[in-house]
Amino acid sequence: MNRHTDTPAGTELLDLPMPEPRTCPFGPAPVYDRLRAEAPVTRVACPTGLTAWLVSRYADVRDVLGDAERFSSRPGQVVHLMAHADPERPIGEGEFTRMDGPEYQRFRRHMGPEISSPRRLAKLRPLVRAVVDERIGALAAAGPPADLYQDFAIPVTTASIGGLVGVPYADRDLFHTAASGVFSDVTDQVQLAAAVRPLQGYLFELVRRRRVEPEDDALSRMVARAPSAEPPFSDVELVAMSAVMLVAGFDSTATALAHGVLALLNDPGQWARLRDDPSLVPGTVEEMVRLFGGGAGIVREATVDTEIGGRPVAKGDYVILAIQSANHDPEAFPDPGRLDVARDTEGHLGFGHGTHQCFGQQTARLELTVALEALVRRVPSLRLAAPLADVPFKTGTSVVGPERVPVTWDEILPAEGEGP
Ligand code: HEM
């Protein structure tokens, strides 16, 4: 018996992750359509041993994310998929993603302006543009075919977040290795520490150096402001803040870009529309994040006896918000599985919602917009070099998306200001 289709809805403990294969690689597993309709708040067993409520409807997911009083972030974001992350472990010094209330706001207030103020974004834009142009130039020099994920998206987002925080591109392996440990489903504590410690040691040194010789980067500014926080930030906390930005900031954005361009190229009519009207790029970026963001889901813990969508939930219960399923809820977005470059995406949850919503969303929007604008302008003949069915998807990571995006083209046009 296929327990995911034959069982009366809501009466059985389902297993996460939901079964593959998918008929379409762009959306949540097909079973979510039935769950939204019949069992929108249902019990699931996670590969990490956690048992939780899985919430799949847009309205319920938004309700939970928007109420940090009833639902705490304490367990950790993707603790349902990462074997190394025990939801009951003590919160580490500076581990703000698991904090609530004023304790959490102390961090958010300090980091927010350094990442997402209009002034900072305006300064970041030329850096991102230069990296994008340089990478497209490298594609032109090497000639087709290429892997748009590894050869373009990863270097662009790595250089952008490194530039923002203040970590040179040459040192990128440190945060790439840390991220592959943090987001993996197989790493035990020893392996995790081995993946993360070199980055922490490096950042400690960098914090000390920037205190003496500040530069024009987010780390220097956070170090300079640290004594004015209440209480002042310790070096451990400064290291934790910069590590999270680096680790959370590059593959999430690279994967959203790779996934989004894959979907666009798989629907040549949409690609042509964008190419003919680049003013649609910012809206397309939102649509890409609506379709693919938050694929792994996010965990919360009920702080009181409560209910979600009419289903009683007890204090201490874990809750998994299936963000991608919410963004594919036809009640919120008509014909939700279709990529539509002109869609009204207002209110999508791809960057989360409420108190803990993505810190880096403006940075991600900037990177995705600059990258997509440059691709449609300079590589108008961009197309897939392999059938969609042959595109491999990543496994063993909570950053859900394609492992490679094989592309080809006829011609690459010069960057703005470059000769023909
Ligand atoms: C398209 C790219 C991205 C997507 C889809 C994405 C998605 C998300 C989501 C859904 C959350 C909410 C977690 C929660 O509610 O518990 C989040 C949090 C976060 N994101 Fe992003 N993100 C992206 C890019 C970035 C970038 C570029 C940065 C760094 C500059 C970043 C830094 C963070 C941080 C620090 C948090 C934790 C916020 C907290 O717990 O308070 N993200 N992200």
Side-chain angles (χ1 to χ4, degrees):
M1 181 173 88
N2 179 343
R3 53 195 301 216
H4 295 288
T5 53
D6 298 341
T7 312
T11 58
E12 191 184 348
L13 193 64
L14 301 178
D15 292 327
L16 278 188
M18 291 301 177
E20 304 281 351
R22 302 174 175 188
T23 44
C24 165
F26 296 124
V31 70
Y32 279 103
D33 288 338
R34 188 182 68 85
L35 290 179
R36 276 192 307 268
E38 299 173 12
V41 182
T42 194
R43 292 299 274 171
V44 286
C46 307
T48 55
L50 202 81
T51 303
W53 295 103
L54 179 70
V55 182
S56 51
R57 274 187 190 156
Y58 177 87
D60 296 335
V61 170
R62 196 180 164 93
D63 167 42
V64 174
L65 286 175
D67 193 341
E69 299 269 310
R70 272 158 69 223
F71 298 100
S72 163
S73 290
R74 195 177 198 292
Q77 279 175 21
V78 275
V79 79
H80 55 310
L81 296 178
M82 304 187 315
H84 57 77
D86 173 1
E88 290 178 9
R89 70 200 188 282
I91 296 179
E93 189 176 352
E95 202 185 353
F96 65 90
T97 57
R98 294 178 58 213
M99 295 176 187
D100 299 308
E103 203 189 2
Y104 168 72
Q105 290 304 338
R106 172 172 165 259
F107 286 87
R108 183 131 198 158
R109 266 201 309 274
H110 194 69
M111 290 173 71
E114 297 310 339
I115 307 185
S116 54
S117 73
R119 205 164 131 235
R120 293 293 159 223
L121 291 166
K123 288 202 79 170
L124 186 61
R125 184 176 282 272
L127 184 146
V128 178
R129 192 170 286 156
V131 177
V132 164
D133 282 338
E134 188 268 318
R135 286 322 301 177
I136 295 181
L139 295 180
D147 172 3
L148 199 89
Y149 178 49
Q150 287 296 342
D151 300 339
F152 181 72
I154 289 277
V156 163
T157 62
T158 296
S160 301
I161 195 69
L164 175 75
V165 176
V167 172
Y169 192 70
D171 297 333
R172 65 191 178 282
D173 278 355
L174 284 159
F175 60 92
H176 282 190
T177 305
S180 59
V182 167
F183 296 124
S184 83
D185 63 349
V186 289
T187 325
D188 65 23
Q189 290 305 323
V190 176
Q191 285 172 298
L192 180 69
V196 173
R197 263 203 202 118
L199 175 66
Q200 289 170 329
Y202 171 90
L203 289 173
F204 260 114
E205 267 313 300
L206 207 57
V207 163
R208 286 188 189 139
R209 231 182 306 144
R210 293 294 198 267
R211 188 168 285 131
V212 185
E213 294 168 28
E215 294 197 8
D216 187 12
D217 54 42
L219 184 59
S220 300
R221 287 187 295 271
M222 292 200 308
V223 168
R225 289 159 35 128
S228 60
E230 282 200 19
F233 284 106
S234 67
D235 283 6
V236 174
E237 289 174 325
L238 287 166
V239 166
M241 286 185 267
S242 14
V244 168
M245 279 196 259
L246 293 165
V247 166
F250 82 95
D251 199 19
S252 50
T253 315
T255 302
L257 181 60
H259 214 153
V261 173
L262 175 64
L264 277 171
L265 298 181
N266 188 52
D267 190 343
Q270 295 288 325
W271 175 256
R273 227 172 136 190
L274 197 59
R275 197 182 48 205
D276 296 344
D277 183 1
S279 73
L280 294 172
V281 166
T284 303
V285 164
E286 293 305 316
E287 172 70 339
M288 280 160 47
V289 177
R290 176 191 73 84
L291 276 164
F292 313 124
I298 287 178
V299 178
R300 296 287 191 262
E301 181 180 337
T303 57
V304 288
D305 289 340
T306 181
E307 51 94 13
I308 302 172
R311 166 83 72 166
V313 168
K315 179 177 175 178
D317 282 357
Y318 296 118
V319 178
I320 300 166
L321 292 324
I323 292 191
Q324 203 185 20
S325 167
N327 279 337
H328 284 246
D329 185 340
E331 295 283 319
F333 302 102
D335 196 2
R338 196 168 62 90
L339 176 114
D340 178 355
V341 295
R343 181 190 291 278
D344 176 4
T345 55
E346 183 70 32
H348 78 74
L349 305 175
F351 287 119
H353 171 66
T355 308
H356 278 263
Q357 67 180 277
C358 181
F359 256 54
Q361 57 187 285
Q362 302 302 0
T363 312
R365 285 188 173 101
L366 173 66
E367 292 174 35
L368 294 172
T369 304
V370 170
L372 202 53
E373 275 169 358
L375 285 176
V376 291
R377 200 188 67 74
R378 294 186 63 192
V379 204
S381 57
L382 191 69
R383 56 191 180 275
L384 290 180
L388 180 63
D390 293 350
V391 173
F393 275 65
K394 292 186 271 187
T395 53
T397 168
S398 56
V399 188
V400 181
E403 194 176 314
R404 285 195 299 280
V405 179
V407 291
T408 189
W409 59 86
D410 299 326
E411 186 192 8
I412 294 193
L413 304 174
E416 265 163 25
E418 266 179 22

